[in-house]
Amino acid sequence: LQDRATPAAWEDVRAELQQELGADPLEVFAEFNTTPIASASIGQAYAATLKDGSDVVVKVRRPGIVPEVETDLSILQSLAGHASRHWEAARDYDVKGFMDEFADTLRKEMDYVQEGHNADRFALNFQDDPDVVIPRIYWEHSTHKVLTMQRLYGMKVTDTQALEAAGLNRKELAVTAANAEMKMVFEDGFFHADPHPGNIFVQPNSQIGLIDFGMVGELDDKMRGQLSALFVAVIRKDPERMATALMRMTVSRSRPDRIKLRVDLAGLIR
Protein backbone atom coordinates (compact mmCIF):
# COMPACT_ATOMS: atom_id res chain seq x y z
CA LEU A 1 0.00 0.00 0.00
CA GLN A 2 3.00 2.33 0.35
CA ASP A 3 4.23 2.22 -3.25
CA ARG A 4 3.40 -1.21 -4.76
CA ALA A 5 -0.38 -1.41 -4.80
CA THR A 6 -2.06 -2.75 -7.94
CA PRO A 7 -2.20 0.25 -10.32
CA ALA A 8 -5.40 1.55 -11.90
CA ALA A 9 -5.76 1.05 -15.67
CA TRP A 10 -3.92 3.63 -17.76
CA GLU A 11 -6.95 4.53 -19.85
CA ASP A 12 -8.92 5.41 -16.72
CA VAL A 13 -6.02 7.50 -15.43
CA ARG A 14 -5.58 9.15 -18.84
CA ALA A 15 -9.25 10.20 -18.88
CA GLU A 16 -8.86 11.66 -15.38
CA LEU A 17 -5.75 13.60 -16.40
CA GLN A 18 -7.40 14.95 -19.54
CA GLN A 19 -10.40 16.18 -17.58
CA GLU A 20 -8.25 17.83 -14.91
CA LEU A 21 -5.56 19.36 -17.16
CA GLY A 22 -7.85 20.30 -20.04
CA ALA A 23 -5.88 18.30 -22.64
CA ASP A 24 -4.41 14.86 -23.22
CA PRO A 25 -1.39 14.37 -20.92
CA LEU A 26 0.66 13.23 -23.90
CA GLU A 27 0.14 16.74 -25.31
CA VAL A 28 0.53 18.71 -22.06
CA PHE A 29 3.94 17.19 -21.31
CA ALA A 30 6.93 16.83 -23.60
CA GLU A 31 7.25 13.23 -22.42
CA PHE A 32 4.98 11.06 -20.30
CA ASN A 33 5.72 7.48 -19.25
CA THR A 34 2.38 5.67 -19.03
CA THR A 35 3.76 3.00 -16.70
CA PRO A 36 3.51 4.24 -13.10
CA ILE A 37 6.73 4.46 -11.11
CA ALA A 38 4.77 3.97 -7.87
CA SER A 39 1.23 2.98 -7.02
CA ALA A 40 -0.13 3.58 -3.53
CA SER A 41 -3.52 3.18 -1.90
CA ILE A 42 -4.88 6.63 -2.81
CA GLY A 43 -2.88 7.67 -5.87
CA GLN A 44 -0.22 6.63 -8.30
CA ALA A 45 2.75 8.48 -9.75
CA TYR A 46 4.11 8.81 -13.30
CA ALA A 47 7.42 10.10 -14.60
CA ALA A 48 7.11 12.95 -17.09
CA THR A 49 9.06 15.83 -18.60
CA LEU A 50 7.78 19.38 -18.91
CA LYS A 51 8.19 21.24 -22.18
CA ASP A 52 10.99 23.28 -20.61
CA GLY A 53 12.91 20.04 -20.00
CA SER A 54 12.26 19.73 -16.26
CA ASP A 55 11.83 16.17 -14.97
CA VAL A 56 8.67 15.83 -12.90
CA VAL A 57 6.45 13.31 -11.18
CA VAL A 58 2.74 13.50 -11.88
CA LYS A 59 0.67 12.15 -9.02
CA VAL A 60 -2.90 11.18 -9.90
CA ARG A 61 -5.68 10.31 -7.50
CA ARG A 62 -7.12 6.86 -8.20
CA PRO A 63 -10.32 7.13 -10.24
CA GLY A 64 -13.32 6.29 -8.05
CA ILE A 65 -11.34 6.23 -4.80
CA VAL A 66 -13.36 8.97 -3.04
CA PRO A 67 -16.72 7.13 -2.87
CA GLU A 68 -14.94 3.97 -1.74
CA VAL A 69 -13.18 5.81 1.06
CA GLU A 70 -16.34 7.66 2.10
CA THR A 71 -18.21 4.34 2.38
CA ASP A 72 -15.45 2.88 4.55
CA LEU A 73 -15.30 5.99 6.73
CA SER A 74 -19.05 5.95 7.21
CA ILE A 75 -18.89 2.35 8.43
CA LEU A 76 -15.97 3.06 10.78
CA GLN A 77 -17.57 6.19 12.22
CA SER A 78 -20.80 4.28 12.81
CA LEU A 79 -18.89 1.51 14.63
CA ALA A 80 -17.00 4.09 16.69
CA GLY A 81 -20.27 5.75 17.73
CA HIS A 82 -21.76 2.37 18.66
CA ALA A 83 -18.66 1.45 20.69
CA SER A 84 -18.74 4.77 22.54
CA ARG A 85 -22.35 4.19 23.58
CA HIS A 86 -21.84 0.62 24.80
CA TRP A 87 -18.18 0.31 25.88
CA GLU A 88 -16.70 2.32 28.72
CA ALA A 89 -13.11 2.05 27.45
CA ALA A 90 -14.19 3.51 24.08
CA ARG A 91 -15.75 6.48 25.88
CA ASP A 92 -12.67 6.96 28.08
CA TYR A 93 -10.35 7.18 25.08
CA ASP A 94 -12.82 9.12 22.91
CA VAL A 95 -12.84 6.57 20.09
CA LYS A 96 -15.50 8.56 18.25
CA GLY A 97 -13.36 11.71 18.37
CA PHE A 98 -10.35 9.73 17.21
CA MET A 99 -12.33 8.35 14.27
CA ASP A 100 -13.63 11.80 13.32
CA GLU A 101 -10.05 13.13 13.30
CA PHE A 102 -8.89 10.16 11.22
CA ALA A 103 -11.66 10.81 8.68
CA ASP A 104 -10.73 14.51 8.45
CA THR A 105 -7.05 13.62 7.94
CA LEU A 106 -7.83 11.09 5.22
CA ARG A 107 -10.09 13.51 3.34
CA LYS A 108 -7.33 16.12 3.38
CA GLU A 109 -4.85 13.52 2.11
CA MET A 110 -7.03 12.98 -0.97
CA ASP A 111 -6.95 16.70 -1.80
CA TYR A 112 -3.78 17.36 -3.82
CA VAL A 113 -4.14 21.13 -3.61
CA GLN A 114 -3.84 20.79 0.16
CA GLU A 115 -0.83 18.50 -0.29
CA GLY A 116 0.82 21.03 -2.60
CA HIS A 117 0.40 23.79 -0.03
CA ASN A 118 1.88 21.49 2.61
CA ALA A 119 4.91 20.88 0.36
CA ASP A 120 5.39 24.62 -0.14
CA ARG A 121 5.27 25.14 3.62
CA PHE A 122 7.90 22.43 4.21
CA ALA A 123 10.07 23.96 1.47
CA LEU A 124 9.93 27.31 3.26
CA ASN A 125 10.75 25.73 6.63
CA PHE A 126 13.77 23.88 5.20
CA GLN A 127 15.01 26.55 2.81
CA ASP A 128 18.15 27.10 4.92
CA ASP A 129 18.85 23.41 5.52
CA PRO A 130 21.25 22.01 2.89
CA ASP A 131 20.66 18.41 4.05
CA VAL A 132 16.95 18.22 3.24
CA VAL A 133 15.32 18.52 -0.18
CA ILE A 134 11.62 19.27 -0.72
CA PRO A 135 10.35 18.98 -4.33
CA ARG A 136 9.03 22.06 -6.09
CA ILE A 137 5.30 22.05 -6.93
CA TYR A 138 4.29 23.03 -10.48
CA TRP A 139 0.93 24.66 -9.82
CA GLU A 140 0.13 25.26 -13.49
CA HIS A 141 -0.19 21.48 -13.88
CA SER A 142 -1.84 20.70 -10.55
CA THR A 143 -5.46 20.41 -9.37
CA HIS A 144 -7.38 18.78 -6.53
CA LYS A 145 -6.88 15.41 -8.27
CA VAL A 146 -3.47 15.89 -9.94
CA LEU A 147 -0.19 17.05 -8.43
CA THR A 148 2.87 17.76 -10.55
CA MET A 149 6.16 18.10 -8.69
CA GLN A 150 9.89 18.14 -9.24
CA ARG A 151 11.29 14.63 -9.59
CA LEU A 152 13.79 13.61 -6.93
CA TYR A 153 16.31 10.97 -7.91
CA GLY A 154 17.79 8.85 -5.21
CA MET A 155 17.87 5.59 -3.30
CA LYS A 156 15.13 4.27 -1.08
CA VAL A 157 16.19 4.85 2.51
CA THR A 158 15.85 1.11 3.27
CA ASP A 159 18.02 0.00 0.33
CA THR A 160 21.14 -0.59 2.41
CA GLN A 161 23.05 -2.27 -0.42
CA ALA A 162 22.59 0.72 -2.71
CA LEU A 163 23.54 3.13 0.07
CA GLU A 164 26.75 1.24 0.82
CA ALA A 165 27.58 0.85 -2.88
CA ALA A 166 27.29 4.64 -3.21
CA GLY A 167 29.73 5.06 -0.31
CA LEU A 168 27.21 6.80 1.94
CA ASN A 169 27.52 6.71 5.72
CA ARG A 170 24.26 5.25 7.06
CA LYS A 171 24.83 6.55 10.59
CA GLU A 172 25.21 10.08 9.27
CA LEU A 173 22.06 9.66 7.20
CA ALA A 174 20.20 8.52 10.31
CA VAL A 175 21.37 11.63 12.15
CA THR A 176 20.27 13.85 9.25
CA ALA A 177 16.82 12.23 9.20
CA ALA A 178 16.49 12.48 12.98
CA ASN A 179 17.51 16.16 12.94
CA ALA A 180 14.91 16.86 10.25
CA GLU A 181 12.23 15.13 12.31
CA MET A 182 13.23 17.02 15.46
CA LYS A 183 13.11 20.32 13.59
CA MET A 184 9.63 19.57 12.27
CA VAL A 185 8.26 18.55 15.66
CA PHE A 186 10.04 20.81 18.15
CA GLU A 187 10.91 23.93 16.12
CA ASP A 188 8.26 24.25 13.41
CA GLY A 189 5.32 22.43 15.00
CA PHE A 190 4.49 21.17 11.51
CA PHE A 191 5.58 17.64 10.68
CA HIS A 192 5.43 14.96 7.98
CA ALA A 193 3.02 12.41 9.45
CA ASP A 194 3.67 9.57 6.99
CA PRO A 195 7.47 9.08 6.87
CA HIS A 196 7.48 5.47 5.66
CA PRO A 197 10.39 4.21 3.47
CA GLY A 198 8.47 4.89 0.26
CA ASN A 199 8.46 8.61 1.06
CA ILE A 200 12.16 9.08 1.91
CA PHE A 201 14.85 9.14 -0.78
CA VAL A 202 18.57 9.52 -0.26
CA GLN A 203 20.32 11.65 -2.86
CA PRO A 204 23.78 10.68 -4.16
CA ASN A 205 25.22 13.68 -2.25
CA SER A 206 23.74 12.41 1.08
CA GLN A 207 20.79 14.80 1.08
CA ILE A 208 17.46 13.47 2.37
CA GLY A 209 14.60 13.97 -0.06
CA LEU A 210 11.04 13.93 1.29
CA ILE A 211 7.90 13.35 -0.77
CA ASP A 212 4.17 12.79 -0.21
CA PHE A 213 2.91 15.59 2.02
CA GLY A 214 -0.75 14.62 2.11
CA MET A 215 -0.66 13.60 5.77
CA VAL A 216 0.81 16.19 8.13
CA GLY A 217 0.44 17.14 11.76
CA GLU A 218 0.55 20.40 13.67
CA LEU A 219 1.56 20.96 17.29
CA ASP A 220 0.84 24.04 19.36
CA ASP A 221 3.32 25.50 21.83
CA LYS A 222 1.78 23.66 24.78
CA MET A 223 2.05 20.23 23.14
CA ARG A 224 5.60 20.93 21.97
CA GLY A 225 6.52 21.81 25.55
CA GLN A 226 4.99 18.57 26.82
CA LEU A 227 6.79 16.53 24.19
CA SER A 228 10.06 18.26 25.06
CA ALA A 229 9.60 17.34 28.73
CA LEU A 230 8.89 13.73 27.75
CA PHE A 231 11.91 13.65 25.44
CA VAL A 232 14.24 14.95 28.17
CA ALA A 233 12.83 12.39 30.63
CA VAL A 234 13.48 9.57 28.16
CA ILE A 235 17.06 10.72 27.56
CA ARG A 236 17.64 10.86 31.33
CA LYS A 237 15.87 7.51 31.82
CA ASP A 238 13.66 9.08 34.46
CA PRO A 239 10.37 7.10 34.72
CA GLU A 240 8.92 9.55 37.26
CA ARG A 241 9.21 12.51 34.88
CA MET A 242 8.08 10.35 31.96
CA ALA A 243 4.92 9.43 33.88
CA THR A 244 4.27 13.09 34.68
CA ALA A 245 4.72 14.16 31.05
CA LEU A 246 2.52 11.37 29.70
CA MET A 247 -0.27 12.03 32.19
CA ARG A 248 -0.31 15.69 31.18
CA MET A 249 -0.68 14.64 27.55
CA THR A 250 -3.30 11.93 28.04
CA VAL A 251 -6.75 12.13 26.46
CA SER A 252 -8.22 9.48 28.75
CA ARG A 253 -11.22 10.60 30.79
CA SER A 254 -10.29 8.21 33.61
CA ARG A 255 -7.18 8.87 35.69
CA PRO A 256 -4.37 6.36 35.06
CA ASP A 257 -2.67 4.55 37.95
CA ARG A 258 0.50 6.61 38.31
CA ILE A 259 2.43 3.97 40.25
CA LYS A 260 1.72 1.22 37.72
CA LEU A 261 2.54 3.58 34.87
CA ARG A 262 5.88 4.49 36.44
CA VAL A 263 6.74 0.80 36.96
CA ASP A 264 5.89 -0.01 33.33
CA LEU A 265 7.97 2.90 32.08
CA ALA A 266 10.92 1.87 34.24
CA GLY A 267 10.84 -1.56 32.60
CA LEU A 268 10.59 0.00 29.16
CA ILE A 269 13.70 2.18 29.48
CA ARG A 270 15.81 -0.21 31.56
Side-chain angles (χ1 to χ4, degrees), residues 181-189 219 224 227-229 231:
E181 191 68 28
M182 295 298 173
K183 171 178 164 52
M184 286 187 274
V185 172
F186 294 108
E187 292 184 25
D188 303 330
L219 300 169
R224 276 187 280 173
L227 282 172
S228 297
F231 190 73

Side-chain angles (χ1 to χ4, degrees), residues 99-203:
M99 192 57 238
D100 290 342
E101 184 175 339
F102 172 77
D104 180 62
T105 298
L106 192 54
R107 290 185 179 109
K108 287 180 179 177
E109 189 176 4
M110 292 189 294
D111 182 354
Y112 287 167
V113 167
Q114 179 65 54
E115 179 176 346
H117 288 310
N118 292 341
D120 283 348
R121 185 171 172 182
F122 279 116
L124 182 63
N125 289 345
F126 281 96
Q127 63 180 343
D128 297 323
D129 189 333
D131 295 324
V132 178
V133 179
I134 307 296
R136 171 189 172 186
I137 302 301
Y138 291 90
W139 285 106
E140 64 272 24
H141 299 305
S142 298
T143 71
H144 289 282
K145 296 181 180 180
V146 177
L147 187 64
T148 301
M149 70 196 86
Q150 172 190 0
R151 184 174 185 181
L152 299 185
Y153 292 94
M155 293 152 277
K156 201 170 181 179
V157 71
T158 51
D159 191 346
T160 56
Q161 291 184 340
L163 296 176
E164 291 180 355
L168 300 178
N169 187 313
R170 286 191 285 153
K171 289 185 178 181
E172 291 180 1
L173 290 173
V175 170
T176 296
N179 285 340
E181 191 68 28
M182 295 298 173
K183 171 178 164 52
M184 286 187 274
V185 172
F186 294 108
E187 292 184 25
D188 303 330
F190 182 69
F191 62 93
H192 193 305
D194 195 20
H196 63 70
N199 289 338
I200 305 172
F201 291 95
V202 179
Q203 313 296 293

Side-chain angles (χ1 to χ4, degrees), residues 11-264:
E11 287 307 317
D12 293 336
V13 173
R14 183 177 188 173
E16 194 86 345
L17 283 166
Q18 183 162 350
Q19 180 177 348
E20 291 299 303
L21 301 178
D24 190 289
L26 302 181
E27 298 175 0
V28 173
F29 299 92
E31 297 180 19
F32 195 100
N33 189 332
T34 60
T35 300
I37 55 176
S39 183
S41 52
I42 292 176
Q44 52 198 58
Y46 295 85
T49 303
L50 298 179
K51 291 186 176 179
D52 67 2
S54 301
D55 289 343
V56 296
V57 169
V58 182
K59 186 175 176 181
V60 188
R61 195 166 72 190
R62 281 177 175 270
I65 191 66
V66 172
E68 289 185 24
V69 169
E70 289 297 338
T71 297
D72 290 343
L73 289 177
S74 177
I75 294 171
L76 289 171
Q77 287 177 301
S78 177
L79 289 172
H82 182 79
S84 295
R85 289 191 296 272
H86 301 284
W87 185 20
E88 186 176 352
R91 288 193 297 274
D92 285 345
Y93 288 96
D94 193 13
V95 170
K96 185 177 183 303
F98 171 81
M99 192 57 238
D100 290 342
E101 184 175 339
F102 172 77
D104 180 62
T105 298
L106 192 54
R107 290 185 179 109
K108 287 180 179 177
E109 189 176 4
M110 292 189 294
D111 182 354
Y112 287 167
V113 167
Q114 179 65 54
E115 179 176 346
H117 288 310
N118 292 341
D120 283 348
R121 185 171 172 182
F122 279 116
L124 182 63
N125 289 345
F126 281 96
Q127 63 180 343
D128 297 323
D129 189 333
D131 295 324
V132 178
V133 179
I134 307 296
R136 171 189 172 186
I137 302 301
Y138 291 90
W139 285 106
E140 64 272 24
H141 299 305
S142 298
T143 71
H144 289 282
K145 296 181 180 180
V146 177
L147 187 64
T148 301
M149 70 196 86
Q150 172 190 0
R151 184 174 185 181
L152 299 185
Y153 292 94
M155 293 152 277
K156 201 170 181 179
V157 71
T158 51
D159 191 346
T160 56
Q161 291 184 340
L163 296 176
E164 291 180 355
L168 300 178
N169 187 313
R170 286 191 285 153
K171 289 185 178 181
E172 291 180 1
L173 290 173
V175 170
T176 296
N179 285 340
E181 191 68 28
M182 295 298 173
K183 171 178 164 52
M184 286 187 274
V185 172
F186 294 108
E187 292 184 25
D188 303 330
F190 182 69
F191 62 93
H192 193 305
D194 195 20
H196 63 70
N199 289 338
I200 305 172
F201 291 95
V202 179
Q203 313 296 293
N205 62 357
S206 296
Q207 289 179 311
I208 296 288
L210 299 178
I211 63 169
D212 196 352
F213 307 98
M215 191 179 295
V216 299
E218 294 196 59
L219 300 169
D220 59 21
D221 290 342
K222 179 181 178 180
M223 180 59 75
R224 276 187 280 173
Q226 292 170 337
L227 282 172
S228 297
L230 176 60
F231 190 73
V232 170
V234 171
I235 294 298
R236 293 180 176 176
K237 295 187 176 182
D238 187 336
E240 181 67 31
R241 290 188 179 184
M242 287 176 66
T244 298
L246 286 170
M247 290 182 70
R248 287 174 177 171
M249 295 166 62
T250 185
V251 296
S252 174
R253 297 178 184 177
S254 61
R255 189 159 185 81
D257 186 320
R258 184 187 183 89
I259 295 177
K260 288 184 178 180
L261 176 60
R262 186 179 61 199
V263 170
D264 287 345

